Structure formats: structure tokens, C-alpha cells
PDB file of all heavy atoms in Angstrom:
ATOM      1  N   TRP A 178     305.543  56.581 -37.353  1.00 87.00           N
ATOM      2  CA  TRP A 178     305.999  57.750 -38.103  1.00 87.00           C
ATOM      3  C   TRP A 178     307.322  57.428 -38.773  1.00 87.00           C
ATOM      4  O   TRP A 178     308.102  56.609 -38.289  1.00 87.00           O
ATOM      5  CB  TRP A 178     306.169  58.945 -37.157  1.00 87.00           C
ATOM      6  CG  TRP A 178     304.884  59.434 -36.619  1.00 87.00           C
ATOM      7  CD1 TRP A 178     304.297  59.051 -35.451  1.00 87.00           C
ATOM      8  CD2 TRP A 178     304.003  60.375 -37.225  1.00 87.00           C
ATOM      9  NE1 TRP A 178     303.098  59.706 -35.295  1.00 87.00           N
ATOM     10  CE2 TRP A 178     302.891  60.532 -36.372  1.00 87.00           C
ATOM     11  CE3 TRP A 178     304.040  61.105 -38.402  1.00 87.00           C
ATOM     12  CZ2 TRP A 178     301.835  61.381 -36.656  1.00 87.00           C
ATOM     13  CZ3 TRP A 178     302.986  61.963 -38.689  1.00 87.00           C
ATOM     14  CH2 TRP A 178     301.914  62.087 -37.822  1.00 87.00           C
ATOM     15  N   HIS A 179     307.615  58.104 -39.861  1.00 89.00           N
ATOM     16  CA  HIS A 179     308.922  57.965 -40.494  1.00 89.00           C
ATOM     17  C   HIS A 179     309.978  58.528 -39.550  1.00 89.00           C
ATOM     18  O   HIS A 179     309.682  59.306 -38.641  1.00 89.00           O
ATOM     19  CB  HIS A 179     308.964  58.746 -41.817  1.00 89.00           C
ATOM     20  CG  HIS A 179     308.153  58.121 -42.890  1.00 89.00           C
ATOM     21  ND1 HIS A 179     308.601  57.063 -43.638  1.00 89.00           N
ATOM     22  CD2 HIS A 179     306.901  58.382 -43.336  1.00 89.00           C
ATOM     23  CE1 HIS A 179     307.688  56.710 -44.502  1.00 89.00           C
ATOM     24  NE2 HIS A 179     306.633  57.497 -44.346  1.00 89.00           N
ATOM     25  N   GLU A 180     311.218  58.169 -39.806  1.00 92.00           N
ATOM     26  CA  GLU A 180     312.329  58.726 -39.027  1.00 92.00           C
ATOM     27  C   GLU A 180     312.376  60.228 -39.271  1.00 92.00           C
ATOM     28  O   GLU A 180     312.170  60.698 -40.380  1.00 92.00           O
ATOM     29  CB  GLU A 180     313.627  58.072 -39.483  1.00 92.00           C
ATOM     30  CG  GLU A 180     314.822  58.475 -38.667  1.00 92.00           C
ATOM     31  CD  GLU A 180     316.085  57.765 -39.137  1.00 92.00           C
ATOM     32  OE1 GLU A 180     315.987  56.639 -39.650  1.00 92.00           O
ATOM     33  OE2 GLU A 180     317.156  58.371 -38.998  1.00 92.00           O
ATOM     34  N   TYR A 181     312.638  60.977 -38.219  1.00 94.00           N
ATOM     35  CA  TYR A 181     312.717  62.432 -38.382  1.00 94.00           C
ATOM     36  C   TYR A 181     314.151  62.906 -38.218  1.00 94.00           C
ATOM     37  O   TYR A 181     314.957  62.269 -37.556  1.00 94.00           O
ATOM     38  CB  TYR A 181     311.761  63.170 -37.439  1.00 94.00           C
ATOM     39  CG  TYR A 181     311.887  62.825 -35.972  1.00 94.00           C
ATOM     40  CD1 TYR A 181     312.684  63.579 -35.133  1.00 94.00           C
ATOM     41  CD2 TYR A 181     311.195  61.751 -35.435  1.00 94.00           C
ATOM     42  CE1 TYR A 181     312.798  63.268 -33.792  1.00 94.00           C
ATOM     43  CE2 TYR A 181     311.299  61.439 -34.090  1.00 94.00           C
ATOM     44  CZ  TYR A 181     312.099  62.190 -33.274  1.00 94.00           C
ATOM     45  OH  TYR A 181     312.214  61.875 -31.947  1.00 94.00           O
ATOM     46  N   THR A 182     314.431  64.015 -38.870  1.00 94.00           N
ATOM     47  CA  THR A 182     315.798  64.548 -38.900  1.00 94.00           C
ATOM     48  C   THR A 182     315.974  65.743 -37.978  1.00 94.00           C
ATOM     49  O   THR A 182     317.062  66.272 -37.862  1.00 94.00           O
ATOM     50  CB  THR A 182     316.173  64.978 -40.326  1.00 94.00           C
ATOM     51  OG1 THR A 182     315.231  65.955 -40.781  1.00 94.00           O
ATOM     52  CG2 THR A 182     316.160  63.790 -41.270  1.00 94.00           C
ATOM     53  N   GLY A 183     314.879  66.179 -37.332  1.00 94.00           N
ATOM     54  CA  GLY A 183     314.972  67.288 -36.403  1.00 94.00           C
ATOM     55  C   GLY A 183     313.904  68.315 -36.635  1.00 94.00           C
ATOM     56  O   GLY A 183     312.994  68.133 -37.417  1.00 94.00           O
ATOM     57  N   LYS A 184     313.973  69.372 -35.941  1.00 96.00           N
ATOM     58  CA  LYS A 184     313.208  70.610 -36.032  1.00 96.00           C
ATOM     59  C   LYS A 184     313.232  71.229 -34.646  1.00 96.00           C
ATOM     60  O   LYS A 184     314.287  71.366 -34.082  1.00 96.00           O
ATOM     61  CB  LYS A 184     311.803  70.412 -36.577  1.00 96.00           C
ATOM     62  CG  LYS A 184     311.188  71.688 -37.146  1.00 96.00           C
ATOM     63  CD  LYS A 184     311.931  72.226 -38.351  1.00 96.00           C
ATOM     64  CE  LYS A 184     311.299  73.472 -38.897  1.00 96.00           C
ATOM     65  NZ  LYS A 184     312.140  74.616 -38.877  1.00 96.00           N
ATOM     66  N   ASP A 185     312.051  71.530 -34.040  1.00 98.00           N
ATOM     67  CA  ASP A 185     312.073  72.245 -32.764  1.00 98.00           C
ATOM     68  C   ASP A 185     310.823  71.983 -31.928  1.00 98.00           C
ATOM     69  O   ASP A 185     309.844  71.432 -32.417  1.00 98.00           O
ATOM     70  CB  ASP A 185     312.235  73.744 -32.988  1.00 98.00           C
ATOM     71  CG  ASP A 185     311.173  74.311 -33.910  1.00 98.00           C
ATOM     72  OD1 ASP A 185     309.976  74.043 -33.707  1.00 98.00           O
ATOM     73  OD2 ASP A 185     311.544  75.033 -34.844  1.00 98.00           O
ATOM     74  N   CYS A 186     310.900  72.396 -30.682  1.00 97.00           N
ATOM     75  CA  CYS A 186     309.787  72.237 -29.747  1.00 97.00           C
ATOM     76  C   CYS A 186     309.868  73.392 -28.739  1.00 97.00           C
ATOM     77  O   CYS A 186     310.949  73.735 -28.271  1.00 97.00           O
ATOM     78  CB  CYS A 186     309.918  70.901 -29.034  1.00 97.00           C
ATOM     79  SG  CYS A 186     308.462  70.382 -28.115  1.00 97.00           S
ATOM     80  N   ILE A 187     308.722  73.989 -28.446  1.00 97.00           N
ATOM     81  CA  ILE A 187     308.669  75.071 -27.461  1.00 97.00           C
ATOM     82  C   ILE A 187     307.533  74.807 -26.481  1.00 97.00           C
ATOM     83  O   ILE A 187     306.469  74.344 -26.866  1.00 97.00           O
ATOM     84  CB  ILE A 187     308.513  76.461 -28.121  1.00 97.00           C
ATOM     85  CG1 ILE A 187     308.601  77.554 -27.054  1.00 97.00           C
ATOM     86  CG2 ILE A 187     307.223  76.549 -28.917  1.00 97.00           C
ATOM     87  CD1 ILE A 187     308.793  78.946 -27.595  1.00 97.00           C
ATOM     88  N   ILE A 188     307.796  75.073 -25.218  1.00 97.00           N
ATOM     89  CA  ILE A 188     306.750  75.005 -24.195  1.00 97.00           C
ATOM     90  C   ILE A 188     306.448  76.443 -23.798  1.00 97.00           C
ATOM     91  O   ILE A 188     307.263  77.109 -23.170  1.00 97.00           O
ATOM     92  CB  ILE A 188     307.183  74.151 -22.992  1.00 97.00           C
ATOM     93  CG1 ILE A 188     307.456  72.725 -23.465  1.00 97.00           C
ATOM     94  CG2 ILE A 188     306.113  74.191 -21.903  1.00 97.00           C
ATOM     95  CD1 ILE A 188     307.969  71.788 -22.416  1.00 97.00           C
ATOM     96  N   ASP A 189     305.276  76.914 -24.229  1.00 96.00           N
ATOM     97  CA  ASP A 189     304.879  78.302 -23.989  1.00 96.00           C
ATOM     98  C   ASP A 189     304.349  78.538 -22.582  1.00 96.00           C
ATOM     99  O   ASP A 189     304.468  79.636 -22.046  1.00 96.00           O
ATOM    100  CB  ASP A 189     303.778  78.725 -24.971  1.00 96.00           C
ATOM    101  CG  ASP A 189     304.263  78.714 -26.404  1.00 96.00           C
ATOM    102  OD1 ASP A 189     305.368  79.213 -26.651  1.00 96.00           O
ATOM    103  OD2 ASP A 189     303.528  78.202 -27.259  1.00 96.00           O
ATOM    104  N   LYS A 190     303.723  77.499 -22.009  1.00 95.00           N
ATOM    105  CA  LYS A 190     303.053  77.677 -20.728  1.00 95.00           C
ATOM    106  C   LYS A 190     303.190  76.423 -19.886  1.00 95.00           C
ATOM    107  O   LYS A 190     303.001  75.311 -20.382  1.00 95.00           O
ATOM    108  CB  LYS A 190     301.566  77.973 -20.976  1.00 95.00           C
ATOM    109  CG  LYS A 190     300.764  78.225 -19.728  1.00 95.00           C
ATOM    110  CD  LYS A 190     299.340  78.611 -20.083  1.00 95.00           C
ATOM    111  CE  LYS A 190     298.570  78.954 -18.814  1.00 95.00           C
ATOM    112  NZ  LYS A 190     297.190  79.295 -19.119  1.00 95.00           N
ATOM    113  N   GLY A 191     303.519  76.596 -18.604  1.00 91.00           N
ATOM    114  CA  GLY A 191     303.553  75.497 -17.647  1.00 91.00           C
ATOM    115  C   GLY A 191     304.567  74.436 -17.989  1.00 91.00           C
ATOM    116  O   GLY A 191     305.613  74.703 -18.565  1.00 91.00           O
ATOM    117  N   GLY A 192     304.208  73.193 -17.588  1.00 85.00           N
ATOM    118  CA  GLY A 192     305.044  72.060 -17.927  1.00 85.00           C
ATOM    119  C   GLY A 192     305.799  71.427 -16.799  1.00 85.00           C
ATOM    120  O   GLY A 192     306.432  70.392 -16.971  1.00 85.00           O
ATOM    121  N   ASP A 193     305.737  72.013 -15.619  1.00 82.00           N
ATOM    122  CA  ASP A 193     306.524  71.442 -14.530  1.00 82.00           C
ATOM    123  C   ASP A 193     305.720  71.141 -13.274  1.00 82.00           C
ATOM    124  O   ASP A 193     306.295  70.910 -12.222  1.00 82.00           O
ATOM    125  CB  ASP A 193     307.697  72.359 -14.193  1.00 82.00           C
ATOM    126  CG  ASP A 193     307.274  73.780 -13.873  1.00 82.00           C
ATOM    127  OD1 ASP A 193     306.071  74.075 -13.898  1.00 82.00           O
ATOM    128  OD2 ASP A 193     308.170  74.585 -13.610  1.00 82.00           O
ATOM    129  N   GLU A 194     304.383  71.117 -13.386  1.00 85.00           N
ATOM    130  CA  GLU A 194     303.570  70.859 -12.198  1.00 85.00           C
ATOM    131  C   GLU A 194     302.277  70.150 -12.594  1.00 85.00           C
ATOM    132  O   GLU A 194     301.568  70.587 -13.499  1.00 85.00           O
ATOM    133  CB  GLU A 194     303.245  72.181 -11.503  1.00 85.00           C
ATOM    134  CG  GLU A 194     302.679  72.023 -10.126  1.00 85.00           C
ATOM    135  CD  GLU A 194     302.492  73.362  -9.417  1.00 85.00           C
ATOM    136  OE1 GLU A 194     303.082  74.369  -9.839  1.00 85.00           O
ATOM    137  OE2 GLU A 194     301.726  73.374  -8.445  1.00 85.00           O
ATOM    138  N   ALA A 195     301.982  69.025 -11.901  1.00 86.00           N
ATOM    139  CA  ALA A 195     300.754  68.272 -12.161  1.00 86.00           C
ATOM    140  C   ALA A 195     299.532  69.124 -11.845  1.00 86.00           C
ATOM    141  O   ALA A 195     299.579  70.011 -10.987  1.00 86.00           O
ATOM    142  CB  ALA A 195     300.729  67.004 -11.320  1.00 86.00           C
ATOM    143  N   ASP A 196     298.449  68.848 -12.560  1.00 90.00           N
ATOM    144  CA  ASP A 196     297.163  69.541 -12.406  1.00 90.00           C
ATOM    145  C   ASP A 196     297.209  71.003 -12.845  1.00 90.00           C
ATOM    146  O   ASP A 196     296.343  71.787 -12.486  1.00 90.00           O
ATOM    147  CB  ASP A 196     296.628  69.428 -10.975  1.00 90.00           C
ATOM    148  CG  ASP A 196     296.449  67.984 -10.543  1.00 90.00           C
ATOM    149  OD1 ASP A 196     295.994  67.167 -11.368  1.00 90.00           O
ATOM    150  OD2 ASP A 196     296.755  67.663  -9.380  1.00 90.00           O
ATOM    151  N   LYS A 197     298.225  71.369 -13.602  1.00 91.00           N
ATOM    152  CA  LYS A 197     298.335  72.718 -14.169  1.00 91.00           C
ATOM    153  C   LYS A 197     298.348  72.604 -15.686  1.00 91.00           C
ATOM    154  O   LYS A 197     298.717  71.586 -16.256  1.00 91.00           O
ATOM    155  CB  LYS A 197     299.622  73.414 -13.709  1.00 91.00           C
ATOM    156  CG  LYS A 197     299.723  73.606 -12.217  1.00 91.00           C
ATOM    157  CD  LYS A 197     298.819  74.719 -11.759  1.00 91.00           C
ATOM    158  CE  LYS A 197     299.033  74.952 -10.269  1.00 91.00           C
ATOM    159  NZ  LYS A 197     298.232  75.999  -9.744  1.00 91.00           N
ATOM    160  N   GLU A 198     297.970  73.691 -16.363  1.00 94.00           N
ATOM    161  CA  GLU A 198     297.937  73.682 -17.818  1.00 94.00           C
ATOM    162  C   GLU A 198     299.346  73.757 -18.404  1.00 94.00           C
ATOM    163  O   GLU A 198     300.233  74.404 -17.864  1.00 94.00           O
ATOM    164  CB  GLU A 198     297.109  74.857 -18.347  1.00 94.00           C
ATOM    165  CG  GLU A 198     296.913  74.803 -19.838  1.00 94.00           C
ATOM    166  CD  GLU A 198     296.078  75.947 -20.374  1.00 94.00           C
ATOM    167  OE1 GLU A 198     295.434  76.658 -19.584  1.00 94.00           O
ATOM    168  OE2 GLU A 198     296.082  76.130 -21.595  1.00 94.00           O
ATOM    169  N   MET A 199     299.503  73.077 -19.528  1.00 94.00           N
ATOM    170  CA  MET A 199     300.747  73.120 -20.288  1.00 94.00           C
ATOM    171  C   MET A 199     300.376  73.365 -21.742  1.00 94.00           C
ATOM    172  O   MET A 199     299.410  72.802 -22.248  1.00 94.00           O
ATOM    173  CB  MET A 199     301.490  71.794 -20.171  1.00 94.00           C
ATOM    174  CG  MET A 199     302.760  71.730 -20.972  1.00 94.00           C
ATOM    175  SD  MET A 199     303.605  70.175 -20.641  1.00 94.00           S
ATOM    176  CE  MET A 199     304.541  69.998 -22.119  1.00 94.00           C
ATOM    177  N   ALA A 200     301.108  74.227 -22.428  1.00 96.00           N
ATOM    178  CA  ALA A 200     300.821  74.519 -23.833  1.00 96.00           C
ATOM    179  C   ALA A 200     302.126  74.723 -24.585  1.00 96.00           C
ATOM    180  O   ALA A 200     303.120  75.174 -24.019  1.00 96.00           O
ATOM    181  CB  ALA A 200     299.946  75.763 -23.953  1.00 96.00           C
ATOM    182  N   GLY A 201     302.091  74.379 -25.861  1.00 97.00           N
ATOM    183  CA  GLY A 201     303.268  74.571 -26.696  1.00 97.00           C
ATOM    184  C   GLY A 201     303.093  73.948 -28.061  1.00 97.00           C
ATOM    185  O   GLY A 201     301.974  73.673 -28.500  1.00 97.00           O
ATOM    186  N   GLN A 202     304.224  73.684 -28.701  1.00 97.00           N
ATOM    187  CA  GLN A 202     304.197  73.158 -30.064  1.00 97.00           C
ATOM    188  C   GLN A 202     305.503  72.425 -30.357  1.00 97.00           C
ATOM    189  O   GLN A 202     306.574  72.889 -29.978  1.00 97.00           O
ATOM    190  CB  GLN A 202     304.039  74.307 -31.038  1.00 97.00           C
ATOM    191  CG  GLN A 202     304.077  73.925 -32.489  1.00 97.00           C
ATOM    192  CD  GLN A 202     303.860  75.137 -33.371  1.00 97.00           C
ATOM    193  OE1 GLN A 202     302.938  75.911 -33.156  1.00 97.00           O
ATOM    194  NE2 GLN A 202     304.722  75.322 -34.354  1.00 97.00           N
ATOM    195  N   CYS A 203     305.391  71.282 -31.036  1.00 97.00           N
ATOM    196  CA  CYS A 203     306.563  70.560 -31.518  1.00 97.00           C
ATOM    197  C   CYS A 203     306.449  70.403 -33.027  1.00 97.00           C
ATOM    198  O   CYS A 203     305.376  70.088 -33.546  1.00 97.00           O
ATOM    199  CB  CYS A 203     306.675  69.179 -30.871  1.00 97.00           C
ATOM    200  SG  CYS A 203     307.113  69.230 -29.125  1.00 97.00           S
ATOM    201  N   ASN A 204     307.543  70.643 -33.721  1.00 97.00           N
ATOM    202  CA  ASN A 204     307.609  70.539 -35.181  1.00 97.00           C
ATOM    203  C   ASN A 204     308.648  69.484 -35.538  1.00 97.00           C
ATOM    204  O   ASN A 204     309.727  69.452 -34.946  1.00 97.00           O
ATOM    205  CB  ASN A 204     308.024  71.876 -35.789  1.00 97.00           C
ATOM    206  CG  ASN A 204     307.063  72.972 -35.424  1.00 97.00           C
ATOM    207  OD1 ASN A 204     305.940  72.984 -35.887  1.00 97.00           O
ATOM    208  ND2 ASN A 204     307.502  73.900 -34.578  1.00 97.00           N
ATOM    209  N   PHE A 205     308.314  68.642 -36.512  1.00 97.00           N
ATOM    210  CA  PHE A 205     309.202  67.569 -36.936  1.00 97.00           C
ATOM    211  C   PHE A 205     309.417  67.645 -38.439  1.00 97.00           C
ATOM    212  O   PHE A 205     308.476  67.883 -39.194  1.00 97.00           O
ATOM    213  CB  PHE A 205     308.594  66.198 -36.601  1.00 97.00           C
ATOM    214  CG  PHE A 205     308.454  65.938 -35.134  1.00 97.00           C
ATOM    215  CD1 PHE A 205     307.325  66.369 -34.447  1.00 97.00           C
ATOM    216  CD2 PHE A 205     309.441  65.270 -34.428  1.00 97.00           C
ATOM    217  CE1 PHE A 205     307.188  66.140 -33.095  1.00 97.00           C
ATOM    218  CE2 PHE A 205     309.315  65.035 -33.071  1.00 97.00           C
ATOM    219  CZ  PHE A 205     308.180  65.474 -32.405  1.00 97.00           C
ATOM    220  N   SER A 206     310.646  67.432 -38.889  1.00 97.00           N
ATOM    221  CA  SER A 206     310.932  67.265 -40.315  1.00 97.00           C
ATOM    222  C   SER A 206     311.386  65.820 -40.495  1.00 97.00           C
ATOM    223  O   SER A 206     312.223  65.315 -39.746  1.00 97.00           O
ATOM    224  CB  SER A 206     312.000  68.251 -40.787  1.00 97.00           C
ATOM    225  OG  SER A 206     313.182  68.115 -40.046  1.00 97.00           O
ATOM    226  N   PHE A 207     310.792  65.150 -41.492  1.00 95.00           N
ATOM    227  CA  PHE A 207     311.019  63.725 -41.688  1.00 95.00           C
ATOM    228  C   PHE A 207     311.954  63.459 -42.859  1.00 95.00           C
ATOM    229  O   PHE A 207     312.081  64.283 -43.777  1.00 95.00           O
ATOM    230  CB  PHE A 207     309.673  63.016 -41.932  1.00 95.00           C
ATOM    231  CG  PHE A 207     308.741  63.118 -40.760  1.00 95.00           C
ATOM    232  CD1 PHE A 207     307.767  64.111 -40.726  1.00 95.00           C
ATOM    233  CD2 PHE A 207     308.837  62.252 -39.689  1.00 95.00           C
ATOM    234  CE1 PHE A 207     306.904  64.226 -39.653  1.00 95.00           C
ATOM    235  CE2 PHE A 207     307.988  62.355 -38.609  1.00 95.00           C
ATOM    236  CZ  PHE A 207     307.010  63.345 -38.591  1.00 95.00           C
ATOM    237  N   VAL A 208     312.576  62.290 -42.852  1.00 95.00           N
ATOM    238  CA  VAL A 208     313.524  61.924 -43.906  1.00 95.00           C
ATOM    239  C   VAL A 208     312.857  61.834 -45.280  1.00 95.00           C
ATOM    240  O   VAL A 208     313.534  61.962 -46.301  1.00 95.00           O
ATOM    241  CB  VAL A 208     314.248  60.592 -43.584  1.00 95.00           C
ATOM    242  CG1 VAL A 208     315.129  60.734 -42.360  1.00 95.00           C
ATOM    243  CG2 VAL A 208     313.262  59.457 -43.424  1.00 95.00           C
ATOM    244  N   ASN A 209     311.541  61.645 -45.320  1.00 94.00           N
ATOM    245  CA  ASN A 209     310.836  61.548 -46.604  1.00 94.00           C
ATOM    246  C   ASN A 209     310.434  62.920 -47.150  1.00 94.00           C
ATOM    247  O   ASN A 209     309.723  63.010 -48.145  1.00 94.00           O
ATOM    248  CB  ASN A 209     309.605  60.650 -46.487  1.00 94.00           C
ATOM    249  CG  ASN A 209     308.562  61.192 -45.527  1.00 94.00           C
ATOM    250  OD1 ASN A 209     308.758  62.229 -44.902  1.00 94.00           O
ATOM    251  ND2 ASN A 209     307.463  60.479 -45.401  1.00 94.00           N
ATOM    252  N   GLY A 210     310.863  64.017 -46.479  1.00 94.00           N
ATOM    253  CA  GLY A 210     310.584  65.360 -46.958  1.00 94.00           C
ATOM    254  C   GLY A 210     309.347  66.009 -46.364  1.00 94.00           C
ATOM    255  O   GLY A 210     309.104  67.188 -46.587  1.00 94.00           O
ATOM    256  N   TYR A 211     308.560  65.255 -45.597  1.00 95.00           N
ATOM    257  CA  TYR A 211     307.351  65.807 -44.993  1.00 95.00           C
ATOM    258  C   TYR A 211     307.673  66.507 -43.677  1.00 95.00           C
ATOM    259  O   TYR A 211     308.716  66.288 -43.067  1.00 95.00           O
ATOM    260  CB  TYR A 211     306.318  64.708 -44.738  1.00 95.00           C
ATOM    261  CG  TYR A 211     305.638  64.230 -45.990  1.00 95.00           C
ATOM    262  CD1 TYR A 211     306.119  63.123 -46.683  1.00 95.00           C
ATOM    263  CD2 TYR A 211     304.524  64.888 -46.484  1.00 95.00           C
ATOM    264  CE1 TYR A 211     305.500  62.690 -47.840  1.00 95.00           C
ATOM    265  CE2 TYR A 211     303.899  64.460 -47.636  1.00 95.00           C
ATOM    266  CZ  TYR A 211     304.385  63.359 -48.308  1.00 95.00           C
ATOM    267  OH  TYR A 211     303.770  62.932 -49.447  1.00 95.00           O
ATOM    268  N   PHE A 212     306.739  67.359 -43.244  1.00 96.00           N
ATOM    269  CA  PHE A 212     306.838  68.064 -41.977  1.00 96.00           C
ATOM    270  C   PHE A 212     305.541  67.839 -41.205  1.00 96.00           C
ATOM    271  O   PHE A 212     304.488  67.633 -41.811  1.00 96.00           O
ATOM    272  CB  PHE A 212     307.022  69.573 -42.189  1.00 96.00           C
ATOM    273  CG  PHE A 212     308.299  69.928 -42.888  1.00 96.00           C
ATOM    274  CD1 PHE A 212     308.344  70.015 -44.265  1.00 96.00           C
ATOM    275  CD2 PHE A 212     309.455  70.163 -42.160  1.00 96.00           C
ATOM    276  CE1 PHE A 212     309.522  70.333 -44.928  1.00 96.00           C
ATOM    277  CE2 PHE A 212     310.640  70.485 -42.812  1.00 96.00           C
ATOM    278  CZ  PHE A 212     310.668  70.568 -44.193  1.00 96.00           C
ATOM    279  N   ALA A 213     305.611  67.895 -39.880  1.00 95.00           N
ATOM    280  CA  ALA A 213     304.404  67.793 -39.048  1.00 95.00           C
ATOM    281  C   ALA A 213     304.538  68.760 -37.881  1.00 95.00           C
ATOM    282  O   ALA A 213     305.624  68.929 -37.320  1.00 95.00           O
ATOM    283  CB  ALA A 213     304.211  66.375 -38.529  1.00 95.00           C
ATOM    284  N   THR A 214     303.425  69.389 -37.544  1.00 96.00           N
ATOM    285  CA  THR A 214     303.359  70.289 -36.397  1.00 96.00           C
ATOM    286  C   THR A 214     302.331  69.747 -35.422  1.00 96.00           C
ATOM    287  O   THR A 214     301.211  69.430 -35.808  1.00 96.00           O
ATOM    288  CB  THR A 214     302.949  71.708 -36.834  1.00 96.00           C
ATOM    289  OG1 THR A 214     303.974  72.241 -37.680  1.00 96.00           O
ATOM    290  CG2 THR A 214     302.771  72.620 -35.630  1.00 96.00           C
ATOM    291  N   PHE A 215     302.716  69.615 -34.165  1.00 95.00           N
ATOM    292  CA  PHE A 215     301.830  69.149 -33.109  1.00 95.00           C
ATOM    293  C   PHE A 215     301.670  70.267 -32.085  1.00 95.00           C
ATOM    294  O   PHE A 215     302.629  70.633 -31.407  1.00 95.00           O
ATOM    295  CB  PHE A 215     302.410  67.917 -32.414  1.00 95.00           C
ATOM    296  CG  PHE A 215     302.494  66.705 -33.300  1.00 95.00           C
ATOM    297  CD1 PHE A 215     303.604  66.494 -34.100  1.00 95.00           C
ATOM    298  CD2 PHE A 215     301.456  65.787 -33.330  1.00 95.00           C
ATOM    299  CE1 PHE A 215     303.689  65.384 -34.920  1.00 95.00           C
ATOM    300  CE2 PHE A 215     301.527  64.673 -34.135  1.00 95.00           C
ATOM    301  CZ  PHE A 215     302.648  64.469 -34.942  1.00 95.00           C
ATOM    302  N   ASN A 216     300.479  70.836 -32.015  1.00 96.00           N
ATOM    303  CA  ASN A 216     300.167  71.828 -30.988  1.00 96.00           C
ATOM    304  C   ASN A 216     299.572  71.107 -29.799  1.00 96.00           C
ATOM    305  O   ASN A 216     298.856  70.118 -29.966  1.00 96.00           O
ATOM    306  CB  ASN A 216     299.159  72.850 -31.519  1.00 96.00           C
ATOM    307  CG  ASN A 216     299.750  73.672 -32.638  1.00 96.00           C
ATOM    308  OD1 ASN A 216     300.742  74.345 -32.450  1.00 96.00           O
ATOM    309  ND2 ASN A 216     299.153  73.596 -33.810  1.00 96.00           N
ATOM    310  N   PHE A 217     299.855  71.601 -28.609  1.00 95.00           N
ATOM    311  CA  PHE A 217     299.247  70.996 -27.435  1.00 95.00           C
ATOM    312  C   PHE A 217     298.851  72.063 -26.433  1.00 95.00           C
ATOM    313  O   PHE A 217     299.506  73.090 -26.285  1.00 95.00           O
ATOM    314  CB  PHE A 217     300.158  69.949 -26.782  1.00 95.00           C
ATOM    315  CG  PHE A 217     301.572  70.413 -26.515  1.00 95.00           C
ATOM    316  CD1 PHE A 217     301.906  70.999 -25.322  1.00 95.00           C
ATOM    317  CD2 PHE A 217     302.562  70.229 -27.475  1.00 95.00           C
ATOM    318  CE1 PHE A 217     303.199  71.406 -25.060  1.00 95.00           C
ATOM    319  CE2 PHE A 217     303.865  70.638 -27.235  1.00 95.00           C
ATOM    320  CZ  PHE A 217     304.183  71.223 -26.021  1.00 95.00           C
TER     321      PHE A 217
END
């Protein structure tokens, strides 16, 4: 991926225990002007 300049990430559900569900989203803004959103 290109170098990113920031954005945000949120964990909506779980995230601290194995065998449990985790859900959220991370957003990235890149130096080339593009953006990407990763839902999980």
C-alpha cells in the first residue's frame, strides 16, 4: 500500500477475548490522495 497520512479506526464489538466476535472499521487516507475503508 502507499504510505498513509492517517484517518481513524473503531472497534464496535469485542476485541479483547479469543474465540469471541470482533467487528469494526478502519479508514486510511493515503499520500496519493486515495482513501480506503476496511470493515471487519
Side-chain angles (χ1 to χ4, degrees):
W178 292 92
H179 289 279
E180 185 178 331
Y181 54 94
T182 58
K184 201 64 179 119
D185 55 49
C186 193
I187 185 166
I188 299 176
D189 296 315
K190 182 176 184 181
D193 55 0
E194 193 175 343
D196 302 320
K197 299 285 184 179
E198 187 179 347
M199 178 175 155
Q202 177 178 312
C203 290
N204 301 290
F205 295 86
S206 57
F207 297 96
V208 295
N209 63 358
Y211 286 94
F212 296 90
T214 296
F215 294 87
N216 294 300
F217 50 91

